[in-house]
Amino acid sequence: MRGMSSSAIRELLKLTQQSDIISFAGGLPVPELFPVEEFRAATDRVLVKQGSEAMQYSTTEGYEPLREFIVHKMAQYNIQAAPENILITSGSQQVLDLIGKILINAGDLILTERPTYLGALQAWRAYQAQFVTVPIDGDGMQTEQLEEALCAGPKFMYILPNLQNPGGVTLSLERRRALIHITDRYGIPIIEDDPYGELRFEGEHLPPLVVLDAEKLDSHTPAGNAHGFYRGNVIYLSTFSKTLAPGLRLVWIVAPTEIIRECVKAKQGMDLHTSSFVQMVAYELVKDGFLKDHVRRIRQVYQERRDIMLDAMTRHFPPGNRWTWPHGGLFLWVTLPEIVDAGAVLDRAVANKITFVPGTVFYPDGSGHNTLRLNFSKARLEQIKIGIKRLGEVLAVELEYEEEVANRV
Ligand SMILES: Cc1ncc(COP(=O)(O)O)c(C=O)c1O
């Protein structure tokens, strides 16, 4: 317990519940688009047709029709899997915890991007993991620096190739290939976390690492992937949190069957199974193609919000600040002048009824003092305009203050 701390973001979320705060903090999806009515109708249908099954205990692996749905969904991205390769879990956080349980011994090194997803750090610190990191830039993980980190002997790699949290950046195709090529020599598993891939509103969807890894494997074996099932060294996970609703806590892992079997054993010790009721309602909702149009609508809204945010930042942020230009997802990442501390900016921002997440929480070593993450999915357009203008003023005041202090010294 000594190594664990509560999530800074979840603490900030308490603040955002105050109605006069404009929050750019949490990764909250656009609430206006939650398909509440559609859920109500799907729930009715499940209760009428399969009420007692929905109320009953169920298998740990997940609701079979939903697993089959995921198989087809994954096939759209060329990920070849059978239902035996799929496990439905209660939130991505449970997957990360399962991975911690089955793969991490105290003191093990985990390779991550720098910065990376706070939820993963939180989950694995509980298993006394240590972290070795590779920095990101506008094209994702800087794979030229990967080999050095691999030489430190990590147990596995954790990476978010699409619209990364917190950076908002996407790993380029060239780097994806380089990553698979280099990692293959070290033989360590890759955990590919992909909650945002479907939320890309600009540019082309790039092949997932799991696909490139399988292709590489097939090139070693001339017969190719004759069996048409999941192969390779990648554990892939994704979620309905950003495309349907995070309140469902509905997530899936795609992995080799040996890994799924171990995860199933570990999950039985946690919660027996993910809510059968929720799985059945979600399946009822998505089975006839609901997601396609729904996700298209979400993308449109996010693109509009991102554009407004970027435009407001260009107008109102003082010179010396830099930021990423995400092609989708929920976040963008700001680098402040070196002398400015994002924690001090947050104090001033909260006094002005604005929140964001200071970047240090995403750095395993606590660095990144002059960075911060902005979420563009939750606030409405007018709030984004007002909030970014106010944040620009706060940044200018803080910069002036820091320059004054530096001059005095
Ligand atoms: C990197 C990453 N993984 C997973 C998730 C989704 O979490 P969950 O499925 O637990 O809602 C998020 C959401 O913030 C995320 O940013």
Side-chain angles (χ1 to χ4, degrees):
M1 291 307 294
R2 261 185 243 124
M4 292 167 69
S5 53
S6 78
S7 155
I9 299 180
R10 303 219 67 77
E11 296 301 318
L12 274 172
L13 276 179
K14 291 181 192 158
L15 257 183
T16 63
Q17 276 155 11
Q18 296 170 19
S19 59
D20 56 343
I21 291 264
I22 299 178
S23 175
F24 302 128
L28 305 190
V30 51
E32 301 89 281
L33 293 191
F34 286 146
V36 176
E37 277 313 308
E38 289 83 351
F39 264 112
R40 193 148 69 106
T43 305
D44 267 357
R45 290 198 297 276
V46 167
L47 289 176
V48 170
K49 288 189 292 184
Q50 300 160 279
S52 43
E53 191 187 344
M55 299 288 112
Q56 189 55 282
Y57 283 117
S58 162
T59 55
T60 305
E61 287 82 353
Y63 181 51
E64 204 54 35
L66 184 62
R67 291 171 85 202
E68 273 161 25
F69 175 86
I70 302 286
V71 166
H72 290 296
K73 188 172 169 61
M74 293 293 87
Q76 289 164 8
Y77 297 100
N78 291 328
I79 301 175
Q80 295 193 335
E84 300 78 65
N85 301 114
I86 312 285
L87 170 66
I88 309 287
T89 71
S90 312
S92 300
Q93 222 44 45
Q94 183 173 64
V95 181
L96 300 173
D97 193 41
L98 285 168
I99 288 168
K101 260 203 175 89
I102 68 170
L103 291 182
I104 302 177
N105 295 318
D108 276 349
L109 266 184
I110 312 300
L111 193 157
T112 71
E113 293 154 289
R114 181 172 85 237
T116 187
Y117 179 46
L118 172 63
L121 298 176
Q122 207 186 11
W124 296 332
R125 279 185 178 131
Y127 294 93
Q128 299 178 40
Q130 311 281 322
F131 298 93
V132 55
T133 59
V134 179
I136 59 168
D137 62 17
D139 283 330
M141 179 186 272
Q142 297 181 30
T143 43
E144 319 82 73
Q145 300 190 38
L146 179 56
E147 185 122 30
E148 193 184 330
L150 284 166
C151 284
K155 193 76 167 280
F156 61 83
M157 177 194 303
Y158 171 70
I159 181 159
L160 296 97
N162 291 323
L163 306 159
Q164 201 245 20
N165 179 7
V169 295
T170 293
L171 188 66
S172 68
L173 182 57
E174 205 185 354
R175 285 189 176 173
R176 284 174 199 237
R177 292 197 195 285
L179 184 146
I180 292 298
H181 184 73
I182 300 165
T183 314
D184 189 47
R185 290 209 304 273
Y186 289 79
I188 61 163
I190 299 170
I191 316 293
E192 179 173 20
D193 190 357
D194 188 20
Y196 305 111
E198 286 183 84
L199 299 181
R200 180 187 261 274
F201 41 71
E202 272 173 5
E204 266 182 52
H205 191 85
L206 296 175
L209 295 176
V210 58
V211 170
L212 297 177
D213 185 52
E215 274 174 18
K216 185 154 174 44
L217 209 63
D218 291 343
S219 68
H220 293 321
T221 45
N225 187 3
H227 307 293
F229 57 71
Y230 192 92
R231 291 147 53 82
N233 218 6
V234 182
I235 299 173
Y236 176 94
L237 63 136
S238 191
T239 175
F240 284 114
S241 284
K242 311 297 176 181
T243 52
L244 273 181
L248 302 175
R249 314 303 305 125
L250 215 47
V251 167
W252 64 95
I253 320 178
V254 193
T257 47
E258 308 90 276
I259 296 284
I260 296 291
R261 271 200 298 274
E262 299 303 318
C263 286
V264 164
K265 279 191 258 170
K267 183 170 162 65
Q268 285 170 356
M270 290 175 173
D271 64 354
L272 294 186
H273 64 83
T274 298
S275 160
S276 20
F277 180 49
V278 169
Q279 292 185 70
M280 290 171 78
V281 171
Y283 174 70
E284 179 65 28
L285 178 57
V286 298
K287 70 181 171 47
D288 298 320
F290 169 79
L291 272 177
K292 201 161 173 250
D293 284 344
H294 183 63
V295 172
R296 190 178 304 138
R297 177 90 189 97
I298 294 175
R299 281 194 219 114
Q300 278 166 358
V301 171
Y302 288 2
Q303 181 161 19
E304 198 180 11
R305 292 182 183 197
R306 180 211 59 175
D307 288 346
I308 293 290
M309 184 171 274
L310 286 171
D311 181 58
M313 289 167 79
T314 310
R315 283 166 199 267
H316 301 298
F317 275 19
N321 296 283
R322 290 175 292 121
W323 51 89
T324 54
W325 196 281
H327 294 159
L330 275 67
F331 305 110
L332 56 83
W333 182 248
V334 184
T335 306
L336 311 172
E338 186 63 34
I339 57 166
V340 177
D341 182 83
V345 176
L346 180 64
D347 291 341
R348 283 187 201 274
V350 169
N352 285 277
K353 308 279 183 200
I354 311 288
T355 59
F356 57 81
V357 184
T360 51
V361 298
F362 303 103
Y363 285 80
D365 63 357
S367 58
H369 73 280
N370 62 325
T371 58
L372 60 92
R373 188 191 76 178
L374 294 177
N375 164 268
F376 55 79
S377 58
K378 166 77 172 32
R380 290 165 186 264
L381 296 182
E382 249 341 275
Q383 288 181 311
I384 294 177
K385 287 184 197 162
I386 298 167
I388 292 294
K389 182 164 184 291
R390 254 191 243 163
L391 186 54
E393 287 157 7
V394 165
L395 285 172
V397 171
E398 183 60 25
L399 179 61
E400 202 177 308
Y401 170 78
E402 291 296 346
E403 282 173 344
E404 218 179 280
V405 172
N407 288 338
R408 247 187 273 143
V409 173

